[in-house]
């Protein structure tokens, strides 16, 4: 080859090779798995095809190929701690794969893999080896027959290495890996061999999984009627081979990022141990960029917690390289430049991704500053305790509550001559993980082994009729009480009903489920909710009000028409709102959640600051302009590709089939949507925003009302204004002037009150000064003042300091259930070695709090005001001792 093949060329060649061989090129799915609560992230190419392999989902092709973005960080698939230490481990990576759903099997899979590597990529045949499952004689024969591999280069390994399973039960089968021999120069020793050592000589580049068995609860394997193929080849690994480098981090996927870090730090990258921080930052910049682009936001739980950990880990390693300000967000453009051709969402969302990452970086820098103050207190308490060990519980609280990394706690502890109880920390971490697992188990809800799931196994999907009618007949296919299927249910029973067809909309896509009635010859069921079940079934939840309902009955299903009309108004308004927000705020706005209910709509969207009153009005105006224009609302079914090419908005992380429903509102809005809508924008009625606020980092929320609810909202506001006008004895139009007059009077009264309080505080401070002892020419003034705010306390401390000349001042006050403290020193007192910040921190601990500040002025607070007198006495004695005086001699005066 004249030049090494780029990663982009390898990716493209792979997809085109399999496309030529009858495979459908399927776009990468999101890093957030759809409808799979067992996975934190998409961690392999087969994840998006899991339901296809198990037969739950039908697709219009039997061969597929993908370049899939993957993440292995968090959960049992977690490479985080190894990133940067080895040449191969990553959090984010790309998996190239080809798949057969009951079409071809081992012979073709082996042939495709061998042909692509040796002919398309030009790898030398003599460098390639294969591993197979120890009992897979078929694969052993095929590698010789199809690829011409000699028997000695086909290695049999056990179940741990070469047998794949989707779970404890279900589809499984042997696998075979293609291994590239990088040469004798990489030999680790005399026993260097595949399956014996784990050195860098033997590079596993492609795994072929032969799904040919089903494993039952007893462990028995039975052949599948239609064996399938799932393969995966890491792009980063094969790029390292073709580019002739010894580490993935030296490929063109990472070198631009490492170069950017070199530019930021002014340091040169070392491919050895010294380059560890560079590699971590390069890997984590990719992971953070793709996670945020796919809709993950930093948080304290789930996927957001993993993102936060990865981002903060990168920041920590940046500090090692001397980066003391936010920097990771500056790498987003580099990631977009390298990866944006294959994954255009990274380029399209780059500005938004930068904002999210920068905000989290800034938050973490503040956390580090806050954590250092709390850690100082923990170190002080540990020293006072005298055992030399920071408890695992304290270290975990710093980590879990304040986001303070364990390694920084350990570094600070070592500097103070202490150590951290790491075992105790791990125990606390294990307890937290157990709580998280329990919460996830509850959240997942649907148990595929439940009686209901078994009863549904052979049930076809429910036919939904509700797009164009609100009433129709259906046959009862299944009745459920609790989790148990039943044959019949009598009056008073809470019941779930599955019909063969229904106009009732099941809750999904943010739209709530319909309510209404199911009525038959001898029964009447009041439906209070409608929920979706796996496989497209629709469950009507309600109460049998009359008679008895039984499986096989014909029921007339009637949706509550007035409620549905209100929901439809709000759903169409939600689409208009989404489009208006993009127009007013920018294209970075994307839906992050929604609720479409009969009484209101709620819309969460990506944006980085609160909307101004002018922006809110502009959004309202945009939506109402389209409503008043009376624009037709139409919907139609089309292919996903055609919808996206037409500019339809698709929600990130949502899984769509080959055929999708598009909702179009004139030329203003085009979205993929399965919900119900009005026929013309004018049916929405007046649109009014009612609330705006933040719900997470980088996510804002607005609420709004439409139609009759808007009228009710306006009337309620009118009633409030009329009540206020009555109380203030003013006309509604005069309320602003009257309120301003009252506020001006209140401000003047508050100013007068502050003046009086300040005068009283100064009088009390003067009395303290008069009684204060003088030690080595410095007045030591300590006592409590009858004030309840920090500002007045500070002013009193300044008053004493100025009046006394040379003074050490420690004042306290009570503000409700809080104790307030201020320490102030004159220049002369500081020259004697006193430090206001250090003393006030010690005193604050005695009132259950903390704080600190400058050498000349510091403030603190605490939660135990009842110990204020004791704390002030302690501080007074510490200063007298520091000035060389005797606390016994000085006790005759003071507070």
């Amino acid at each position: 080859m004249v030049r090494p093949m780029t990663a982009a060329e390898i990716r493209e060649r792979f997809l085109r090779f399999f496309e030529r061989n009858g495979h459908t090129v399927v776009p990468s799915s999101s890093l957030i798995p759809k409808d799979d609560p067992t996975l934190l992230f998409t961690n392999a190419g087969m994840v998006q095809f899991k339901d296809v392999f198990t037969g739950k989902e039908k697709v219009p092709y039997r061969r597929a190929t993908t370049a899939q973005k993957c993440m292995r960080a968090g959960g049992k698939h977690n490479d985080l701690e190894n990133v940067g230490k080895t040449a191969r481990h990553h959090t984010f990576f790309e998996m190239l794969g080809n798949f057969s759903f009951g079409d071809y099997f081992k012979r073709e899979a082996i042939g495709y893999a061998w042909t692509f590597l040796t002919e398309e990529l030009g790898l030398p045949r003599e460098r390639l080896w294969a591993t197979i499952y120890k009992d897979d004689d078929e694969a052993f024969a095929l590698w010789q027959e199809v690829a011409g591999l000699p028997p000695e280069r086909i290695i049999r390994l056990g179940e741990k290495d070469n047998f794949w399973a989707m779970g404890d039960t279900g589809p499984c089968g042997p696998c075979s890996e293609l291994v590239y021999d990088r040469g004798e120069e990489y030999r680790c020793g005399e026993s260097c061999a595949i399956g014996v050592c784990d050195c860098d000589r033997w590079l596993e580049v492609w795994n072929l999984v032969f799904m040919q068995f089903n494993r039952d609860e007893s462990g028995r394997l039975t052949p599948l009627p239609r064996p399938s193929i799932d393969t995966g080849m890491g792009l980063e690994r094969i790029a390292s081979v073709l580019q002739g480098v010894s580490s993935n981090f030296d490929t063109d996927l990472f070198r631009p990022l490492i170069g950017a870090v070199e530019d930021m730090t002014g340091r040169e990258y070392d491919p050895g141990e010294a380059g560890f921080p560079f590699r971590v930052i390069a890997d984590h910049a990719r992971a953070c960029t793709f996670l945020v682009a796919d809709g993950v936001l930093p948080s304290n739980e789930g996927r957001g917690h993993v993102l936060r950990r990865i981002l903060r880990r990168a920041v920590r390693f940046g500090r090692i390289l001397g980066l003391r300000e936010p920097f990771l967000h500056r790498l987003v453009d580099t990631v977009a430049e390298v990866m944006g051709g294959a994954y255009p969402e990274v380029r399209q969302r780059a500005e938004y991704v930068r904002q999210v990452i920068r905000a989290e970086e800034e938050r973490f820098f503040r956390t580090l500053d806050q954590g250092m103050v709390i850690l100082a207190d923990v170190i002080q308490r540990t020293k006072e305790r005298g055992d030399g060990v920071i408890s695992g519980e304290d270290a975990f609280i710093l980590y879990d509550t304040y986001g303070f990394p364990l390694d920084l706690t350990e570094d600070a502890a070592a500097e103070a001559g202490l150590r951290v109880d790491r075992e105790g920390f791990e125990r606390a971490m294990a307890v937290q993980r157990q709580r998280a697992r329990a919460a996830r188990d509850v959240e997942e809800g649907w148990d595929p082994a439940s009686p209901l799931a078994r009863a549904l196994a052979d049930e076809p999907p429910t036919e939904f009729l509700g797009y164009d009618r609100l009433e129709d007949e259906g046959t009862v296919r299944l009745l459920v009480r609790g989790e148990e299927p039943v044959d019949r249910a009598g009056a008073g029973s809470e019941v779930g009903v599955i019909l063969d067809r229904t106009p009732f909309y099941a809750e999904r896509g943010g739209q709530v489920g319909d309510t209404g009635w199911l009525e038959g010859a001898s029964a009447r069921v009041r439906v209070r909710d409608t929920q979706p079940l796996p496989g497209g079934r629709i469950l009507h939840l309600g109460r049998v009000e009359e008679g008895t309902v039984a499986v096989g009955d014909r029921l007339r299903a009637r949706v509550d028409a007035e409620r549905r009309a209100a929901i439809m108004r709000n759903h169409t308004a939600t689409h208009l709102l989404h489009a208006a927000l993009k127009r007013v705020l920018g294209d970075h706005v994307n839906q992050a959640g929604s609720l479409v209910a009969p009484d209101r709509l709620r819309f969460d969207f990506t944006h980085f600051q609160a909307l101004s009153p002018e922006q809110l009005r502009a959004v309202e105006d945009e939506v109402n302009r389209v409503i008043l224009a009376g624009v037709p609302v139409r919907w139609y079914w089309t292919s996903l590709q055609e919808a996206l090419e037409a500019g339809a908005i698709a929600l990130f992380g949502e899984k769509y089939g080959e055929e999708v429903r598009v909702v179009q509102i004139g030329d203003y809005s085009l979205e993929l949507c399965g919900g119900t809508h009005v026929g013309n924008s004018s049916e929405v009625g007046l649109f009014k925003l009612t609330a705006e606020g933040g719900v997470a980092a980088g996510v804002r929320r607005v609420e709004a009302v439409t139609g009759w609810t808007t009228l009710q909202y306006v009337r309620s506001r009118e009633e409030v204004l009329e009540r206020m006008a009555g109380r203030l004895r003013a006309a509604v139009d005069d309320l602003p002037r009257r309120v301003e007059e009252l506020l001006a009077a209140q401000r003047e009264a508050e100013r007068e009150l502050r003046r009086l309080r300040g005068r009283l505080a100064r009088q009390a401070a003067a009395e303290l000064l008069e009684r204060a002892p003088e030690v080595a020419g410095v007045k030591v003034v300590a006592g409590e003042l009858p004030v309840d705010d920090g500002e007045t306390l500070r002013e009193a401390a300044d008053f004493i300091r100025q009046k006394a000349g040379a003074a050490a001042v420690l004042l306290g006050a009570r503000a409700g259930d809080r104790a307030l403290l201020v320490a102030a020193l004159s220049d002369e007192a500081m020259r004697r070695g006193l430090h206001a910040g250090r003393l006030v921190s010690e005193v604050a601990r005695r009132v259950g709090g903390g704080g600190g500040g400058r050498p000349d002025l510091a403030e603190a607070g605490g939660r135990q005001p009842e110990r204020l007198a004791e704390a002030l006495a302690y501080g007074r004695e510490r200063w007298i001792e520091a000035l060389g005086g005797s606390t016994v001699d000085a006790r005759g005066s003071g507070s």
Side-chain angles (χ1 to χ4, degrees), residues 259 262 395 413 524 745 892:
E262 287 179 314
R524 188 171 194 262

Side-chain angles (χ1 to χ4, degrees), residues 569-570 572-578 580-581 601 603 616-625 627-628 684-690 702-707 710-711 713:
R569 284 194 291 269
N570 283 337
T572 301
T574 300
H575 284 219
L576 293 174
L577 172 62
H578 191 182
L581 286 166
L601 66 91
F603 191 76
L616 290 170
R617 279 194 292 274
V619 169
E620 277 187 347
D621 289 348
E622 277 279 318
V623 174
N624 283 303
R625 190 176 294 117
I627 291 170
L628 290 170
V684 173
L686 182 64
F687 172 89
K688 178 66 183 155
L689 290 170
T690 60
V702 291
E703 295 193 20
V705 290
T706 65
T710 307
L711 182 60
Y713 177 82

Side-chain angles (χ1 to χ4, degrees), residues 603-789:
F603 191 76
D604 297 347
F605 60 97
T606 52
H607 187 58
F608 244 75
Q609 58 192 130
L611 275 68
S612 67
E614 293 75 21
Q615 288 172 326
L616 290 170
R617 279 194 292 274
V619 169
E620 277 187 347
D621 289 348
E622 277 279 318
V623 174
N624 283 303
R625 190 176 294 117
V626 181
I627 291 170
L628 290 170
V631 175
V633 179
R634 73 182 190 101
W635 59 268
Y636 57 92
W637 293 92
T638 186
S639 71
L640 176 61
Q641 190 62 35
E642 287 178 357
L644 295 177
E645 287 174 359
I649 295 175
L651 299 187
F652 246 67
E654 194 71 24
K655 188 174 181 181
Y656 297 102
E658 278 302 301
E659 190 178 38
V660 294
R661 184 170 180 265
V662 178
V663 174
Q664 181 174 10
I665 307 174
D667 59 1
Y668 194 78
S669 169
L670 192 70
E671 289 196 34
L672 304 186
C673 178
T676 61
H677 291 266
V678 299
N680 188 284
S681 64
S682 61
E683 297 173 45
V684 173
L686 182 64
F687 172 89
K688 178 66 183 155
L689 290 170
T690 60
E692 190 275 343
V695 292
V699 179
R700 305 300 298 179
R701 170 176 290 175
V702 291
E703 295 193 20
V705 290
T706 65
W708 289 105
T709 312
T710 307
L711 182 60
Q712 295 164 8
Y713 177 82
V714 171
R715 283 174 176 167
S716 70
R717 292 301 178 271
E718 285 179 341
E719 289 171 6
V720 170
L721 287 172
E722 286 165 3
R723 284 201 304 272
M724 285 181 62
R727 293 290 300 273
L728 298 177
R729 295 176 183 165
V732 170
D733 290 345
D734 284 340
L735 278 177
R737 179 185 58 78
R738 182 71 180 117
V739 169
E740 189 53 49
E741 289 173 355
L742 290 171
L743 288 174
Q746 182 184 355
R747 286 193 293 269
E748 181 55 37
E750 287 173 350
R751 280 194 293 270
E752 183 60 27
L753 183 59
R754 279 198 300 273
R755 283 195 292 271
L756 290 171
R757 282 178 173 169
R759 189 181 306 162
L760 289 171
R762 285 192 295 277
Q763 288 175 357
E767 292 173 9
L768 284 178
L769 176 59
E770 190 177 333
R771 299 198 305 271
E774 185 174 308
V775 181
V778 175
K779 281 279 192 178
V780 180
V781 184
E784 182 178 345
L785 295 185
V787 301
D788 59 2
D789 68 283

Side-chain angles (χ1 to χ4, degrees), residues 354-628:
R354 276 196 301 274
Q355 289 179 331
V356 172
I357 292 176
R358 175 161 195 142
E360 181 64 17
E361 285 188 275
E362 290 171 345
R363 185 178 292 107
F364 186 44
F365 274 98
R366 290 194 297 270
T367 292
L368 290 175
D369 293 338
Q370 180 188 16
M372 290 305 294
V373 173
I374 296 162
L375 179 58
D377 187 50
V378 169
I379 288 172
Q380 181 64 34
R381 283 191 279 110
T382 304
K383 286 181 174 179
E384 290 172 359
R385 200 167 57 241
D387 59 7
V389 181
I390 293 176
S391 74
E393 185 66 29
D394 278 343
F396 181 73
I397 289 171
L398 275 163
Y399 168 81
D400 192 52
T401 305
Y402 299 100
F404 201 76
L406 177 63
D407 57 351
L408 290 188
T409 301
E410 289 179 320
D411 290 346
E415 290 170 10
L418 307 172
R419 67 179 182 84
V420 176
D421 176 11
R422 185 175 267 271
E423 289 183 4
F425 176 88
E426 295 296 344
R427 284 194 299 273
M429 178 72 83
V431 170
Q432 195 261 6
R433 284 180 182 141
Q434 183 59 42
R435 284 198 299 266
R437 271 196 299 272
R440 281 198 302 272
D441 290 344
V442 170
E443 191 177 309
E444 287 168 18
W446 177 255
D447 179 7
S450 68
L452 175 57
R454 290 198 296 270
L456 283 170
D458 298 322
E459 283 295 320
T462 305
E463 182 184 357
F464 177 62
L465 311 168
Y467 288 134
D468 53 18
R469 70 193 84 166
L470 298 181
E471 189 172 336
D472 212 309
E473 286 194 350
T475 301
V476 178
R477 299 299 301 262
L478 194 67
L479 287 174
V480 183
R481 293 189 65 184
E483 280 284 305
E484 297 291 333
V486 295
D487 292 330
R488 61 186 60 247
S493 301
E494 294 290 331
V495 67
V497 182
I498 296 178
L499 303 174
D500 62 340
R501 57 208 302 265
T502 181
F504 279 73
Y505 183 86
E507 179 177 343
R508 62 187 180 277
Q511 179 174 329
V512 299
D514 281 333
T515 63
W517 299 266
L518 302 177
E519 297 168 323
S522 60
R524 188 171 194 262
V525 179
R526 169 75 184 193
V527 179
R528 56 176 171 75
D529 194 12
T530 310
Q531 288 292 320
L533 291 179
R537 293 90 165 196
I538 294 176
L539 181 67
H540 309 76
L541 296 167
R543 181 182 180 86
V544 182
E545 294 190 342
E546 297 174 14
T548 300
V549 63
V551 174
D553 284 356
R554 293 286 290 173
L555 298 179
R556 187 151 198 86
R558 283 196 301 118
V559 174
D560 182 333
E562 186 176 335
R563 182 176 181 273
R564 167 72 88 81
I567 292 170
M568 290 162 66
R569 284 194 291 269
N570 283 337
H571 204 152
T572 301
T574 300
H575 284 219
L576 293 174
L577 172 62
H578 191 182
L581 286 166
K582 281 182 172 290
R583 281 169 168 77
V584 173
L585 302 178
D587 284 336
H588 66 278
V589 168
N590 285 290
Q591 183 171 335
S594 69
L595 171 69
V596 179
D599 60 333
R600 72 192 192 285
L601 66 91
R602 186 179 71 216
F603 191 76
D604 297 347
F605 60 97
T606 52
H607 187 58
F608 244 75
Q609 58 192 130
L611 275 68
S612 67
E614 293 75 21
Q615 288 172 326
L616 290 170
R617 279 194 292 274
V619 169
E620 277 187 347
D621 289 348
E622 277 279 318
V623 174
N624 283 303
R625 190 176 294 117
V626 181
I627 291 170
L628 290 170

Side-chain angles (χ1 to χ4, degrees), residues 45-58:
M46 63 81 59
V47 169
Q48 70 165 308
F49 302 117
K50 192 172 178 180
D51 287 347
V52 181
F53 281 121
T54 58
K56 291 180 183 175
E57 182 183 346
K58 305 298 180 190

